[in-house]
């Protein structure tokens, strides 16, 4: 299995996986109002791929991120949806994809992440309801499931108000914060950029990693732990 950056050829398989995971009514969820008409962030969108007996690719995991604005002023990114094929749930695949994508978000300069999901699961990554107490969603949602994570300390301090879609310029900035650093993420020793392998440690500061994943982070081994129990819608 490999985990790699999503490509356009994966779109149909991703939609089928999301339908199987969340059902056909998933588009009625409030989080989809924030995604409608907004481009996701390509550098953070990952897929997990297996190969069948004929060598054909099978998408067995997906995670996506979207640019958002809190209270019309605070830029952030929305995690979700994330889904893993039924036969791999509990295997740790979802956790690997979350950790990989969060570390990419740090490397790309994003400052915070918001999601709608089960707190007992996402707290292991540093998400907290305390960071979203002053925020609102543009539709019905269980507010106990609205969680925030600071990739930069203080990034959500004082952030409040309605979570909405970004202005076009903000969305463009989020999508192209810096050139894509990772094409394939199935190499635990480092990232291949051209002919030169770059260690993961070069992409983000030690204090940032320790602040978010203190109980799990030790060099690159945080990528290979945990399991997906409750997906973000």
């Amino acid at each position: 299995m490999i985990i790699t950056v999503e490509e356009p050829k994966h779109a149909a398989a991703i939609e089928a996986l999301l339908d199987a995971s969340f059902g056909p009514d998933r588009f009625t969820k409030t989080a989809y109002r924030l995604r409608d008409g907004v481009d996701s962030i390509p550098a953070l969108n990952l897929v997990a791929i297996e190969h069948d007996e004929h060598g054909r690719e099978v998408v067995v995991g997906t995670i996506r991120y979207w640019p958002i604005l809190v209270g019309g002023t605070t830029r952030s990114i929305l995690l979700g949806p994330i889904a893993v094929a039924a036969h791999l749930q509990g295997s740790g695949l979802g956790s690997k994809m979350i950790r990989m994508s969060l570390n990419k978000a740090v490397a790309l300069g994003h400052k915070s992440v918001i999601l709608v999901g089960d707190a007992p699961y996402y707290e292991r990554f540093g998400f907290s309801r305390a960071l979203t107490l002053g925020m609102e969603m543009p539709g019905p949602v269980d507010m106990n499931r609205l969680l925030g994570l600071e990739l930069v300390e203080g990034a959500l301090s004082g952030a409040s108000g309605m979570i909405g879609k970004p202005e076009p310029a903000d969305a463009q900035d989020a999508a192209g914060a810096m050139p894509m650093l990772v094409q394939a993420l199935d190499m635990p020793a480092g990232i291949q950029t051209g002919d030169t392998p770059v260690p993961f440690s070069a992409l983000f500061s030690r204090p940032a990693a320790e602040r978010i994943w203190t109980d799990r982070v030790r060099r690159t081994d945080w990528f290979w732990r945990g399991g997906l129990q409750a997906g973000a819608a």
Side-chain angles (χ1 to χ4, degrees):
M1 180 190 298
I2 64 170
I3 298 175
T4 188
V5 175
E6 176 189 324
E7 299 179 24
K9 66 179 180 180
H10 300 133
I14 289 172
E15 291 305 308
L17 178 58
L18 292 175
D19 282 343
S21 299
F22 296 107
D25 64 341
R26 59 189 173 91
F27 294 103
T28 65
K29 295 183 177 182
T30 297
Y32 273 87
R33 297 187 185 182
L34 299 172
R35 301 172 188 142
D36 186 30
V38 178
D39 291 333
S40 61
I41 304 173
L44 296 181
N45 297 341
L46 306 179
V47 289
I49 296 173
E50 290 184 334
H51 291 83
D52 64 16
E53 64 272 19
H54 303 293
R56 295 173 297 199
E57 288 189 350
V58 179
V59 174
V60 294
T62 176
I63 186 171
R64 285 172 168 168
Y65 288 79
W66 310 76
I68 55 174
L69 274 182
V70 180
T73 58
T74 302
R75 296 185 188 185
S76 189
I77 54 177
L78 181 72
L79 188 164
I82 174 172
V84 170
H87 71 284
L88 288 171
Q89 290 182 10
S91 69
L93 176 57
S95 197
K96 294 174 190 177
M97 298 182 75
I98 292 170
R99 295 181 191 282
M100 286 183 177
S101 57
L102 287 178
N103 285 305
K104 286 196 71 181
V106 172
L108 291 168
H110 295 287
K111 296 181 179 181
S112 65
V113 186
I114 291 171
L115 62 78
V116 179
D118 290 345
Y121 178 76
Y122 287 100
E123 284 172 350
R124 74 185 69 183
F125 307 104
F127 285 90
S128 169
R129 172 65 178 129
L131 292 172
T132 62
L133 290 176
M135 301 180 191
E136 303 174 50
M137 288 285 281
V141 67
D142 179 353
M143 296 303 290
N144 289 322
R145 290 168 51 83
L146 183 63
L147 311 174
L149 169 67
E150 292 181 336
L151 302 177
V152 174
E153 190 171 1
L156 294 177
S157 178
S160 62
M162 186 65 68
I163 299 174
K165 300 177 183 179
E167 297 297 327
D170 292 325
Q172 185 175 3
D173 289 345
M178 58 186 295
M180 190 180 303
L181 297 176
V182 183
Q183 287 296 331
L185 294 174
D186 55 331
M187 299 176 290
I191 295 174
Q192 195 78 22
T193 55
D195 297 326
T196 305
V198 179
F200 283 121
S201 59
L203 298 182
F204 45 86
S205 70
R206 181 181 176 89
E210 289 181 342
R211 181 168 64 250
I212 300 170
W213 302 292
T214 302
D215 62 338
R216 292 178 181 266
V217 175
R218 289 298 181 271
R219 294 180 294 277
T220 61
D221 61 350
W222 69 86
F223 291 156
W224 313 106
R225 302 187 182 187
L228 183 65
Q229 301 297 327

